[in-house]
Amino acid sequence: MCAYRRRDSQYSIDLLDANGESIVVDSTNVVLLKIGKDNQIPHLDINSSAATANGSRIAAPTNPIIVQLDSEDLKFAAGVYDVEITVLDSSTGSVRTVLEKGVFVLHETQRGVLGL
Amino acid sequence: MSKIVTEGDVRLFVGLEGELTSAERARVGVAHTHAEGLVKQFLGYDPVQRRHVEFYPKHLHAGGMGIREDEPIGWEKSGNRAVPLNRGGQVSKTLQLRHIPVRQIKNLYYDPDANFGQAARTTFDGSFDTTFDDTDFAPDTVKTNGEDYFIDLDEESIGWAGLVYWGSGVWPIEPGSVAVDYISGFSEAELMGGADADAAQADLARGQISVVGVDASPIRYAVLLTCAKMLHVQQSLKRSDAGRGFDGGNVYESERFQDYSYKRPSGQISSTVQLTGLVVGLPTEALEALEPFKTYGRLRT
């Protein structure tokens, strides 16, 4: 997974079970996405229940889920981070299941006013 | 404990950015942990930015290393004892903190009767934290930054030497009479080598201090090199053929050219391991990358 620094990004992520079958997250559950480093406050922490102040959001329940990252939320240093996608299962209380943990690369971009 | 590099860093560096098996993820995790430990051991401090609470001076010679003040300065009262404040020049104008670079001192306490925070302690709560037990390092023993003490800063919010000056002469010499609650280490943007204004602002929102232009990325590179070496040795040791034993890896086991030939023993520890050894210490390149960041100040603490 990668994005460009200070630029909007949108992802479509397929959720598959262990047999490779598509799964749909129940509307009562919450999908969480964190970008950062283990054991530290994430640079970006978004979930499907509410957008961030800058507008980054996760559209679920759908499959694939749609992740939108706003350019204002992607101002941290370019580099390699961990991305963690988790689902909060409301039917079993507060059990959080890690769906995927992967690599997130934030690429550097040029300075200047966007769109010019 | 926070890490210097991300798991993603390691995976990308060794070409494992795709989906991992459980075994591969475990191997990456083990190599990652040990590589970070070796780098921190070599540096002599934790380069990841966080808060520390430590007691000073560690012993009567803590000033040391030629930075001394030999002028007699009088006596200090400790309980019912009088303590001389210059024992043959063992007092110092500077205090050396263990972790660098120093970013901010949250609180500095001076309590001559605290004895490393144990003098008035009746029960041990299992941890040293910013709330000291009983009456040791009480709020009225907090000293004022800029007046009672000041940090040796190279620029705002970063002091590479880790030195703190006592404002009115020399530091107290009673072991464990000073407690320093401080923040040291590099922010994530600095470790990434990308500390510009936007990144510094983003780090600040997460409670980290960044200085634009500070580049600690060689520390990350050293961890990644060490990880790659460890994973290479692990791969060489991986048992892939139970009948044969350890996998020989991608090296020649025999070779012949005219009258010259050689053959390595098979069915034993792999040839790769024979060639590389089980050495999993820091590679030479990693040592070179780390050298500018190493501290020798620990000799004084």
Side-chain angles (χ1 to χ4, degrees):
Chain A
M1 195 172 175
C2 68
Y4 290 92
R5 195 171 179 224
R6 306 186 198 93
R7 305 288 189 267
D8 296 335
S9 291
Q10 181 168 310
Y11 308 89
S12 172
I13 300 174
D14 281 307
L15 300 181
L16 307 176
D17 63 15
N19 298 318
E21 302 291 331
S22 291
I23 55 174
V24 177
V25 178
D26 190 272
S27 59
T28 58
N29 297 333
V30 180
V31 178
L32 305 100
L33 184 143
K34 296 173 189 288
I35 296 171
K37 186 190 285 187
D38 287 347
N39 216 18
Q40 279 198 359
I41 298 169
H43 284 278
L44 192 54
D45 189 352
I46 60 175
N47 62 69
S48 59
S49 61
T52 67
N54 292 319
S56 297
R57 69 186 70 224
I58 298 174
T62 59
N63 198 5
I65 61 171
I66 306 297
V67 177
Q68 282 182 282
L69 305 183
D70 189 89
S71 57
E72 289 295 313
D73 283 331
L74 294 174
K75 284 187 169 179
F76 51 92
V80 185
Y81 299 89
D82 295 331
V83 58
E84 185 183 315
I85 301 175
T86 311
V87 63
L88 178 62
D89 187 347
S90 59
S91 67
T92 53
S94 59
V95 173
R96 291 166 189 255
T97 307
V98 174
L99 296 180
E100 182 55 49
K101 189 176 176 188
V103 183
F104 179 85
V105 181
L106 185 63
H107 297 290
E108 192 57 278
T109 57
Q110 298 180 40
R111 300 298 301 232
V113 179
L114 297 180
L116 295 179
Chain B
M1 187 71 76
S2 297
K3 297 283 179 62
I4 300 168
V5 304
T6 61
E7 184 185 286
D9 267 322
V10 180
R11 290 172 60 177
L12 202 65
F13 195 79
V14 299
L16 289 172
E17 63 273 19
E19 198 165 331
L20 299 186
T21 65
S22 297
E24 286 171 336
R25 191 179 291 277
R27 284 193 197 101
V28 167
V30 168
H32 184 187
T33 300
H34 291 314
E36 298 235 349
L38 284 174
V39 166
K40 288 177 183 177
Q41 184 188 47
F42 178 78
L43 290 173
Y45 63 94
D46 184 356
V48 178
Q49 194 169 114
R50 69 184 180 90
R51 194 168 173 175
H52 304 269
V53 180
E54 294 163 357
F55 302 114
Y56 296 95
K58 298 293 182 191
H59 50 76
L60 288 175
H61 299 275
M65 300 298 281
I67 308 174
R68 294 176 173 174
E69 174 58 73
D70 291 329
E71 293 296 318
I73 57 167
W75 298 78
E76 180 71 70
K77 181 174 176 292
S78 175
N80 59 358
R81 292 180 297 130
V83 180
L85 289 186
N86 72 328
R87 295 193 175 178
Q90 290 169 1
V91 291
S92 175
K93 288 181 175 178
T94 56
L95 184 72
Q96 174 72 59
L97 299 179
R98 292 171 72 89
H99 296 274
I100 62 165
V102 174
R103 315 309 294 255
Q104 183 185 43
I105 291 182
K106 308 287 283 186
N107 279 306
L108 188 145
Y109 306 79
Y110 170 54
D111 181 350
D113 300 319
N115 294 349
F116 296 91
Q118 299 162 56
R121 176 175 294 151
T122 52
T123 56
F124 182 50
D125 65 4
S127 66
F128 293 106
D129 53 33
T130 53
T131 306
F132 294 104
D133 294 309
D134 306 312
T135 58
D136 293 334
F137 300 118
D140 63 356
T141 65
V142 173
K143 297 299 174 184
T144 306
N145 187 5
E147 292 181 16
D148 298 319
Y149 68 91
F150 46 94
I151 309 168
D152 179 1
L153 290 178
D154 294 277
E155 52 187 307
E156 189 174 0
S157 300
I158 187 161
W160 288 90
L163 294 176
V164 187
Y165 285 86
W166 188 248
S168 56
V170 296
W171 281 92
I173 61 169
E174 287 202 319
S177 59
V178 174
V180 189
D181 174 5
Y182 69 106
I183 294 173
S184 72
F186 299 101
S187 71
E188 202 147 304
E190 292 166 344
L191 285 168
M192 287 284 181
D196 60 13
D198 281 346
Q201 193 66 34
D203 270 345
L204 187 64
R206 300 165 54 247
Q208 288 203 329
I209 301 166
S210 291
V211 170
V212 174
V214 170
D215 183 356
S217 62
I219 298 176
R220 278 178 68 237
Y221 183 55
V223 172
L224 294 173
L225 282 174
T226 309
C227 270
K229 183 177 180 182
M230 285 183 174
L231 287 167
H232 172 73
V233 172
Q234 281 182 7
Q235 189 67 19
S236 301
L237 286 171
K238 192 173 68 174
R239 182 186 285 272
S240 63
D241 182 345
R244 187 166 175 270
F246 291 100
D247 184 7
N250 297 320
V251 296
Y252 291 115
E253 292 198 337
S254 64
E255 196 171 38
R256 175 189 293 275
F257 180 69
Q258 296 178 352
D259 291 337
Y260 167 77
S261 70
Y262 73 82
K263 180 172 173 56
R264 296 186 187 281
S266 60
Q268 300 175 16
I269 294 291
S270 82
S271 302
T272 308
V273 173
Q274 287 179 14
L275 290 174
T276 62
L278 280 170
V279 180
V280 287
L282 294 170
T284 307
E285 295 82 357
L287 293 172
E288 289 175 357
L290 292 173
E291 191 58 41
F293 296 93
K294 188 170 172 58
T295 177
Y296 297 95
R298 202 167 201 171
L299 297 172
R300 292 188 61 214
T301 58

